[in-house]
């Protein structure tokens, strides 16, 4: 009997052990399966037309709410349009989209917490700041890339530039100056000349501004800065040369390899030391268009000029886009992107993919952003013509509002915008962030 009981106990212990291992393996497999199912759905979705995706979204999200999170509040408008689209296909459809726009750059913390929690909320995101996207979201696998079939087959899209991470749009920040006082800004170096203090959001309060400075050290932009320096008058060259020489030793320390890197570093140094820190681009625009802002300059989101209220004291007539001037030299500003991604733990991945496809392939999907100059969909077929937004009754009344378009802004003989690249920003932030902070000091 004792031998029998001992044998039974041994069998029970082994069985319990195997059962525990099986349960652990099942839990691990369930978790992996959930992740793999999102990736599997994305792989399937990339082979589907919009019509097929919309049917999948209807089937998946009937009676449910998909939660999206983004850096643009206009995602809510796009979400309303998307729901109406699905209802036009199936009148009985009753799904919803809830959209949230977190403040103070907290979107990365919120997404990370949601992904690592036991219960998942968010299915997709519209997100900016290439540096943190790469380091916190893409390198970790927290966000998954989805490229709509109808977008990929559209004429004029650039899959290499905008396909990974998948971009909804470009947004440009441009050099602008008040033209009432006679000050001349014909070269990007003029914005860092002595006693010039451009209005600009702090590099640590809006990270895309810091990314701009990282990108300026990329070889092709170093070359643009050198060419702009060469175009300066001899007296201005003499002013800048000592600063350029002073940063030459930092080139190798920061891991830069371009022979013209010292020109970009000198410009960055002067910019950080001289810019006039502002809280937001809205107040910058409001100040710059006034008569009292004569000779002032700024680097701000171009689309802000759409909402200027014309008055005796304030007018878009009072400002000039620097790069629109004949013979302007150097960079005209910078561009950052809004990226669309599927969350790896998305509760409604089909609906997320369908919504992303809708925003980037249909006019009503992008309409929330396309109504303004300075916002450019990655699908050029959805970008409205804003080249005559400054015309009133056929008269070119407000030239600052006549947008020359994305292709002009990106071209080497046009606006020469510095374009954010997530991989490069992530790489350079570890080397340059402290260096830039030391230049900015308490200004932030």
């Amino acid at each position: 009997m004792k031998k029998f009981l001992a044998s039974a106990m041994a069998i029970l212990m082994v069985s319990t052990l195997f059962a525990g291992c099986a349960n652990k393996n099942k839990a691990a497999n369930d978790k992996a399966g959930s992740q793999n199912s999102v990736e599997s759905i994305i792989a399937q979705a990339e082979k589907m037309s919009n019509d097929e995706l919309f049917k999948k979204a209807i089937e998946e999200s009937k009676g449910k709410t998909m939660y999206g999170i983004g850096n643009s509040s206009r995602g809510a408008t796009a979400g309303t349009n998307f729901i109406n689209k699905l209802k036009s296909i199936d009148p009985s459809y009753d799904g919803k989209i809830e959209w949230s726009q977190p403040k103070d750059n907290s979107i990365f913390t919120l997404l990370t917490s949601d992904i690592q929690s036991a219960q998942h909320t968010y299915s997709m995101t519209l997100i900016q700041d290439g540096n943190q996207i790469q380091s916190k979201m893409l390198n970790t696998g927290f966000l998954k890339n989805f490229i709509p079939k109808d977008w990929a087959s559209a004429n004029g899209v650039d899959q290499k530039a905008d396909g990974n991470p998948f971009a909804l749009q470009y947004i440009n920040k441009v050099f602008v100056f008040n033209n009432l006082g006679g000050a001349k800004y014909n070269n990007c170096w003029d914005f860092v000349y002595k006693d010039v203090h451009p209005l600009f959001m702090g590099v640590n309060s809006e990270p895309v501004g810091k990314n701009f400075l990282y990108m300026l050290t990329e070889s092709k932009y170093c070359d643009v800065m050198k060419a702009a320096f060469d175009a300066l008058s001899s007296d201005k060259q003499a002013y800048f040369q000592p600063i350029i020489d002073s940063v030459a030793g930092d080139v190798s320390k920061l891991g830069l390899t371009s022979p013209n890197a010292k020109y970009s570093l000198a410009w960055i140094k002067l910019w950080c030391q001289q810019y006039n820190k502002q809280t937001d681009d809205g107040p910058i625009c409001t100040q710059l268009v006034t008569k009292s802002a004569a000779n002032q300059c700024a680097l701000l989101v171009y689309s802000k000029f759409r909402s200027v209220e014309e008055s005796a004291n304030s007018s878009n007539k009072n400002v000039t886009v620097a790069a629109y001037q004949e013979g302007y030299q150097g960079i005209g500003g910078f561009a950052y992107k809004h990226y669309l991604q599927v969350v790896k733990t998305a509760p409604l991945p089909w609906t997320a993919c369908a919504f992303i496809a809708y925003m980037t392939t249909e006019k009503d999907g992008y309409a929330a952003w396309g109504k303004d100059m300075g916002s450019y969909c990655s699908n050029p077929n959805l970008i409205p013509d804003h080249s005559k937004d400054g015309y009133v009754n056929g008269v070119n009344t407000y030239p600052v509002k006549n947008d020359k378009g994305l292709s002009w802004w990106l071209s080497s003989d046009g606006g020469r915008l510095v374009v954010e690249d997530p991989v490069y920003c992530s790489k350079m932030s570890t080397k340059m962030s402290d260096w830039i902070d030391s230049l900015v000091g308490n200004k932030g």
Side-chain angles (χ1 to χ4, degrees), residues 173-176 178 191 196-202 271 274-281 283-289 293 296-301:
K173 287 204 172 194
V174 301
F175 290 116
V176 183
N178 187 296
F191 294 100
V196 176
H197 301 283
L199 304 174
F200 186 61
M201 287 184 66
W271 179 262
Q274 294 179 198
Y275 77 77
N276 184 339
K277 181 184 176 182
Q278 302 295 304
T279 57
D280 194 72
D281 283 349
I284 293 176
C285 180
T286 299
Q287 177 178 337
L288 197 66
V289 298
Q296 286 190 2
C297 61
L299 177 57
L300 75 160
V301 168

Side-chain angles (χ1 to χ4, degrees), residues 246-256 265 428 431-432 435:
S246 73
V247 298
D250 292 321
V251 172
S252 59
K253 293 178 183 178
L254 296 173
L256 304 176
L265 289 185
M428 294 311 300
K431 301 176 181 180
M432 290 192 65
W435 185 78

